[in-house]
Amino acid sequence: MARQLGYLRVLVVCVVASIIATTQAQLQLGFYANSCPNAEKIVSEFVNEHIHNAPSLAAALIRMHFHDCFVRGCDGSVLLNKTNNQAEKNAPPNLTVRGFDFIERIKSLVEAACPGVVSCADILTLAARDSIVATGGPSWQVPTGRRDGLVSNLSEASSNIPSPFDNFTTLQTKFNRVGLDLNDLVILSGAHTIGVSHCSSVRNRLYNFTGKLDQDPALDSEYAQNLKKFKCKSINDSTTLIEMDPGSRKTFDLGYYNQVVKRRGLFTSDSQLLANSVTKSLVNQLLQGSLQNFYAQFAKSMEKMGRINVKTGTQGEIRKQCALVNS
């Protein structure tokens, strides 16, 4: 009996490993080399032509990619519209996501060249990478072959996307749920080195942290006072823009981690990187290392994230328009 159970366990492990290997094998570099040989070139050329007119889109696109992958995997479901406004893009974490039209414009160019071949999921993944490279950041490999999902659900987005208000336990749970670990949490948080947020993401830390009109003690008091004086001047301010990495928000560097160790990370989620000994140590290791070391680790984690629960083969579909499932 014990031997039979042992065989069963081995069989289960082998089957799971086979499923994972099969899924990953179906993503491959140059997947469209024969079916749409200019696909990746079309994406990169459009990004390079337009991103310099709106460099903040680089941060927006990587955020969109991140939010897409945490809900049903990297399947372009964040791009979908629904007539009842119950799609992922209608969920609170996605209300400030930008770049939908940018992706749709790329899709139209790719469709003109190769109708019904290249998925919106792949276009988003490629555009996120290309926009970071175009603005001076790291590059990473993007194996392609993703297919587009058919479902987009507001409640799933609300419950699965890591939030700026999350504590460490919640962040760890959400990352573990999609196969990412604490190292990925620290590395991917480094994307906060570029871009901006709104006062709505930090106002409670400044004015009402525990519901007693108090300030978050984990936030550097001098930084908090500056934010109150020059940026978020009242708890009602939800629209003023704030740099996530003050002074270098356009440069993909280690500045974000310097802010974190000074207790000047903008979000509660940023401060939580110091709340755990493992993540705190990882932050300090990054600061002691080179920029190229950060770039290499960032590339590895982005490649890993880009494989989360992807749909391949005959799963899903290849949408004609990114905002709509095919009729």
Side-chain angles (χ1 to χ4, degrees):
M1 182 68 178
R3 181 176 293 180
Q4 289 175 329
L5 286 173
Y7 287 148
L8 181 60
R9 290 193 189 99
V10 171
L11 178 62
V12 170
V13 170
C14 289
V15 169
V16 170
S18 174
I19 291 170
I20 292 172
T22 301
T23 300
Q24 295 196 346
Q26 289 177 323
L27 284 187
Q28 60 187 63
L29 293 171
F31 180 85
Y32 301 109
N34 294 320
S35 59
C36 190
N38 289 325
E40 295 190 25
K41 183 181 178 183
I42 292 170
V43 176
S44 63
E45 285 185 348
F46 185 87
V47 169
N48 280 292
E49 181 181 353
H50 294 283
I51 200 72
H52 298 291
N53 297 325
S56 64
L57 260 181
L61 291 175
I62 200 169
R63 182 176 180 228
M64 184 192 292
H65 177 39
F66 183 91
H67 284 204
D68 182 44
C69 291
F70 271 77
V71 186
R72 293 182 170 265
C74 309
D75 68 348
S77 53
V78 72
L79 302 167
L80 285 171
N81 292 335
K82 290 177 78 171
T83 53
N84 62 358
N85 292 326
Q86 292 296 302
E88 287 176 34
K89 63 169 58 173
N90 303 117
N94 288 327
L95 293 178
T96 53
V97 169
R98 298 183 298 120
F100 295 108
D101 182 61
F102 193 84
I103 297 299
E104 202 70 74
R105 288 165 70 190
I106 298 174
K107 173 64 171 173
S108 67
L109 294 174
V110 175
E111 280 294 299
C114 314
V117 174
V118 182
S119 69
C120 296
D122 274 341
I123 289 172
L124 172 55
T125 307
L126 289 164
R129 188 271 312 272
D130 293 345
S131 67
I132 295 298
V133 174
T135 51
S139 183
W140 58 91
Q141 291 188 322
V142 177
T144 45
R146 295 165 190 80
R147 288 174 64 85
D148 296 321
L150 303 173
V151 177
S152 185
N153 186 284
L154 182 153
S155 62
E156 290 179 354
S158 296
S159 59
N160 288 297
I161 295 173
S163 160
F165 312 110
D166 285 344
N167 62 28
F168 176 80
T169 302
T170 303
L171 289 169
Q172 184 177 29
T173 298
K174 289 180 178 179
F175 271 69
N176 285 347
R177 193 182 290 154
V178 294
L180 300 178
D181 57 26
L182 292 182
N183 186 69
D184 298 313
L185 168 60
V186 173
I187 296 296
L188 294 174
S189 294
H192 289 171
T193 189
I194 57 171
V196 296
S197 186
H198 298 84
C199 284
S200 56
S201 297
V202 72
R203 59 187 178 185
N204 277 3
R205 295 190 79 193
L206 297 174
Y207 293 103
N208 198 28
F209 186 61
T210 64
K212 300 178 181 178
L213 301 179
D214 54 343
Q215 186 173 293
D216 182 359
L219 184 62
D220 177 73
S221 58
E222 182 181 350
Y223 181 47
Q225 290 306 312
N226 283 335
L227 287 174
K228 288 179 178 179
K229 184 175 181 179
F230 299 110
K231 293 290 184 179
C232 311
K233 298 179 181 179
S234 85
I235 194 171
N236 298 315
D237 186 346
S238 61
T239 58
T240 299
L241 294 176
I242 329 166
E243 297 179 350
M244 293 188 287
D245 182 5
S248 76
R249 71 176 177 88
K250 295 181 180 180
T251 307
F252 209 103
D253 56 18
L254 290 163
Y256 163 76
Y257 298 109
N258 279 311
Q259 299 295 335
V260 168
V261 297
K262 292 176 182 176
R263 298 191 302 119
R264 294 187 173 193
L266 195 61
F267 308 136
T268 297
S269 58
D270 295 328
S271 73
Q272 293 303 290
L273 298 184
L274 301 181
N276 172 269
S277 60
V278 174
T279 52
K280 183 177 181 179
S281 175
L282 289 169
V283 168
N284 287 319
Q285 287 174 41
L286 284 167
L287 287 172
Q288 291 163 13
S290 66
L291 181 62
Q292 290 309 310
N293 170 62
F294 170 46
Y295 278 13
Q297 291 200 55
F298 189 81
K300 186 177 179 181
S301 287
M302 285 301 299
E303 290 170 30
K304 185 176 176 182
M305 187 186 80
R307 291 182 177 273
I308 293 173
N309 296 330
V310 293
K311 293 168 177 63
T312 59
T314 58
Q315 297 172 313
E317 66 179 10
I318 303 298
R319 287 183 216 137
K320 297 174 183 177
Q321 293 178 265
C322 292
L324 303 169
V325 295
N326 298 337
S327 56

